[in-house]
Amino acid sequence: MSGVAVGVMLTASLIAVFYLAWRLAGLPFPAFDVFDWMTRKLPGSALTSSLDAIVYIIRTLHLGPTAETAKIFEKAMAIAVLLVTAAIAGAVLFALLRALRGNYAYLFGIAIGAAVGAPVTLISRSVSQTATTGPIISAVWILAAFLVWGGALGWCYRRLSVAGVVRIGRRRFLIRLGGATAVIAMAGAVVGALAVRRRREVVVGERWSANHTLPNAAAEVKPAPGARPEFTPLEQHYQIDINTIPPTISKDNWRLKIGGLVESPLAFMLDDLRGKYEPLHQFITLACISNPIAGDLIGTTRWTGVSMQRLLPDLRLKPEATHLKIRSADGFFEVVPLETIKADERVMLTYAWDGAPLLTEHGFPLRIYIPNLYGMKQPKWIESIEATDHWEPGYWVERGWDAQARMKATSAIDTIAINMMIVQADARTLVPIGGIAHAGARGVSKVEVQVDGGEWREAQLRAPLSGLTWVIWRYDWPFREGRHTFTVRCYDGEGAPQIMEETPPAPAGASGLHSKSMMF
Ligand SMILES: Nc1nc2c(c(=O)[nH]1)N[C@H]1C(S)=C(S)[C@@H](COP(=O)(O)O)O[C@H]1N2
Ligand SMILES: [Mo]
């Protein structure tokens, strides 16, 4: 029992020290590396259902923005995993030492430190997401920290079991140890959190949207008060990564490597892509396939990059090339058929969002855009493109998600603006109701609202930012007292209605109608 207690306390201190060293010196934070490694090894179905569960909990309990809150959950789980593993190791050590009557406590302590530390070092090295230090320094650091941790376990065992001349009581020792642990953990957490990490974030004033009006600013139909912003501020844009911490890439060391079925391998610098090709600007709505009906895993901004069609001739592909395999710094990958690129000039290697270099979490320095597909098909942090002669499933397709991942038409009620009633000349009052409708690159042709299961009535559509974004809809409802339920549905640009049958996000994106009830 005391093995577990001591194990937990010492491990908490170890994690705090790791955290501090990570924030201050860029040394690896093994808790996140190990967790990311585990999620790679886990079967896709387990990953999906645990993510679904987290998203469900967040939304049911209204815990906050889905993507951000899910990340906090993930981080807590990552730390818990390391804590539990190391606590078990502590218990095993104490049981062993008890059997050995306390002999060789240090030796076995250090041995268990090595036994836990060595695999953690290797795993952290293979994932190497959190460290900015070199591989040798990182490895020495993790291993040394675990050896000290193991030695400390052995020392604690001796203090607890071997009678000494000035021995303090077991209970007092544990309390002191607990106190010391709490101080170290708190200090680590506070100092680590305060440590300013170098961030290349963009000043708000440098963004395109800070100095420009949106192309549809003059559109007749105005959003209903309280609807989500039509142009998503960068810090509000959802973020979904396979990693606990997004990869930090330095512009100077980065190259876009082109290989495989090409006449000769190439490497582009970021400035090559920005300078040598005419930039393409597109207003785009990106959505995650995990987005539940009316969820917040969807956002709209202005993307800038190079059309893949323009770049293609310069890649000098061999005639047998049919696909491009795109690989990212975090191990994510996706395969794009050349046909898709040749058929659609909007497929774009993107280097800016809202007129500024991509933020780290959104894929700096380079990500791709492929119209009509969910985010799971669109790698961020691109490092290389390999020309191949065959299709392969991408990262999430390998894990059971839909191979097409075509965006489904979807609509949501964002607001029932009861406190913004409009009183008309004939004294009738209208309540503005509104939200978004989205159908990938197909656009939205019609939105309808139903009240209390009655007739479907057509809503007004605001001219969208582009054919690739969501459409803001609005329905000014003639007010009646009582409890009412509103439901929304949309039709895509080709006239196809959104799927009304309710299905969960896995494996091909959520379908179903969004309803909201309110007492007036
Ligand atoms: N390299 C890489 N690219 C990635 C991902 C990732 O985890 N790694 N996640 C994908 C998923 S599932 C989505 S929904 C979008 C999210 O982009 P955002 O975080 O910028 O909103 O990125 C996609 N591209
Ligand atoms: Mo996603």
Side-chain angles (χ1 to χ4, degrees):
M1 205 44 230
S2 53
V4 173
V6 172
V8 168
M9 288 192 270
L10 289 184
T11 309
S13 307
L14 178 71
I15 293 172
V17 170
F18 274 137
Y19 178 69
L20 196 61
W22 174 45
R23 297 301 299 258
L24 290 178
L27 285 157
F29 188 58
F32 292 170
D33 287 342
V34 170
F35 190 74
D36 289 344
W37 175 82
M38 282 172 45
T39 56
R40 296 291 198 290
K41 300 289 162 193
L42 236 57
S45 55
L47 204 59
T48 299
S49 42
S50 42
L51 253 166
D52 274 0
I54 291 176
V55 170
Y56 178 78
I57 293 169
I58 293 169
R59 287 175 57 82
T60 323
L61 302 180
H62 300 288
L63 295 182
T66 314
E68 224 175 298
T69 317
K71 267 289 172 255
I72 296 172
F73 260 84
E74 253 181 81
K75 288 178 182 168
M77 269 157 63
I79 289 170
V81 165
L82 190 58
L83 205 58
V84 169
T85 312
I88 292 171
V92 169
L93 175 72
F94 273 43
L96 192 74
L97 290 177
R98 217 163 284 134
L100 290 171
R101 302 179 171 282
N103 288 318
Y104 310 114
Y106 281 111
L107 190 68
F108 277 96
I110 291 172
I112 216 144
V116 181
V120 170
T121 306
L122 290 176
I123 290 171
S124 169
R125 194 185 163 138
S126 77
V127 179
S128 96
Q129 283 304 325
T130 50
T132 50
T133 46
I136 298 184
I137 293 180
S138 302
V140 169
W141 164 241
I142 298 179
L143 205 57
F146 270 101
L147 292 181
V148 171
W149 167 83
L153 274 175
W155 176 76
C156 286
Y157 183 83
R158 287 185 65 95
R159 288 303 304 257
L160 283 168
S161 59
V162 182
V165 194
V166 284
R167 194 173 87 109
I168 56 168
R170 279 175 67 91
R171 177 180 297 259
R172 284 218 1 240
F173 177 75
L174 282 174
I175 290 174
R176 277 195 201 178
L177 185 66
T181 316
V183 169
I184 294 175
M186 281 298 288
V190 171
V191 179
L194 290 179
V196 233
R197 270 195 306 163
R198 277 163 294 132
R199 295 183 97 193
R200 243 172 314 131
E201 309 298 39
V202 209
V203 182
V204 174
E206 290 165 6
R207 296 179 187 173
W208 178 89
S209 59
N211 314 305
H212 296 81
T213 47
L214 295 171
N216 63 348
E220 221 173 288
V221 180
K222 303 293 176 209
R228 75 184 88 192
E230 183 166 25
F231 186 87
T232 314
L234 287 187
E235 25 305 287
Q236 274 176 41
H237 198 287
Y238 83 92
Q239 179 201 345
I240 296 284
D241 312 336
I242 56 175
N243 275 349
T244 318
I245 298 293
T248 312
I249 295 174
S250 109
K251 174 180 171 259
D252 298 333
N253 301 333
W254 179 86
R255 296 286 180 281
L256 172 63
K257 295 183 279 296
I258 314 284
L261 297 173
V262 290
E263 295 302 336
S264 59
L266 294 173
F268 288 87
M269 296 201 297
L270 190 56
D271 288 335
D272 296 335
L273 297 173
R274 288 200 287 220
K276 294 189 186 153
Y277 300 89
E278 193 193 323
L280 176 62
H281 306 288
Q282 309 188 85
F283 289 90
I284 290 167
T285 295
L286 181 69
C288 181
I289 197 164
S290 296
N291 194 30
I293 293 298
D296 59 2
L297 301 179
I298 183 168
T300 299
T301 188
R302 183 176 178 266
W303 299 46
T304 303
V306 182
S307 165
M308 286 289 275
Q309 270 187 9
R310 292 217 156 214
L311 194 66
L312 217 46
D314 292 356
L315 304 186
R316 297 199 295 133
L317 306 183
K318 291 192 169 158
E320 60 269 33
T322 56
H323 290 77
L324 298 181
K325 181 164 184 177
I326 301 178
R327 288 195 180 82
S328 301
D330 58 350
F332 191 88
F333 58 95
E334 183 56 46
V335 174
V336 185
L338 281 175
E339 270 172 30
T340 306
I341 295 167
K342 288 178 179 160
D344 193 339
E345 65 195 8
R346 300 170 302 180
V347 178
M348 171 170 85
L349 286 178
T350 304
Y351 48 72
W353 264 21
D354 195 6
L358 292 173
L359 299 180
T360 303
E361 58 268 38
H362 292 300
F364 182 87
L366 197 68
R367 66 185 300 164
I368 196 169
Y369 169 63
I370 308 170
N372 233 6
L373 304 186
Y374 283 115
M376 61 166 266
K377 290 279 196 182
Q378 318 202 27
K380 310 189 268 189
W381 308 294
I382 296 175
E383 282 192 329
S384 71
I385 299 181
E386 180 194 344
T388 72
D389 58 4
H390 60 277
W391 181 83
E392 289 169 58
Y395 183 92
W396 281 118
V397 178
E398 262 187 352
R399 285 161 178 76
W401 290 83
D402 189 66
Q404 255 62 53
R406 181 178 185 260
M407 281 174 164
K408 288 182 176 164
T410 189
S411 52
I413 303 171
D414 287 344
T415 176
I416 302 171
I418 177 65
N419 44 3
M420 300 293 273
M421 280 206 222
I422 305 163
V423 184
Q424 291 183 305
D426 58 5
R428 277 205 316 165
T429 42
L430 302 175
V431 176
I433 299 174
I436 53 136
H438 180 236
R442 308 188 296 285
V444 170
S445 56
K446 188 158 74 165
V447 171
E448 292 174 329
V449 176
Q450 184 191 50
V451 186
D452 303 325
E455 253 174 65
W456 288 96
R457 311 244 176 214
E458 202 165 334
Q460 295 172 280
L461 299 187
R462 177 173 166 82
L465 288 167
S466 84
L468 302 174
T469 64
W470 55 30
V471 171
I472 304 290
W473 62 267
R474 167 182 188 136
Y475 177 68
D476 292 335
W477 169 67
F479 170 78
R480 281 180 289 126
E481 267 180 20
R483 185 177 181 79
H484 301 292
T485 301
F486 306 89
T487 307
V488 64
R489 74 178 179 194
C490 73
Y491 297 77
D492 74 10
E494 294 150 18
Q498 80 175 81
I499 304 167
M500 303 222 239
E501 187 204 342
E502 252 180 61
T503 60
S511 65
L513 299 185
H514 187 219
S515 290
K516 256 191 177 164
S517 297
M518 199 181 239
M519 186 70 201
F520 294 91

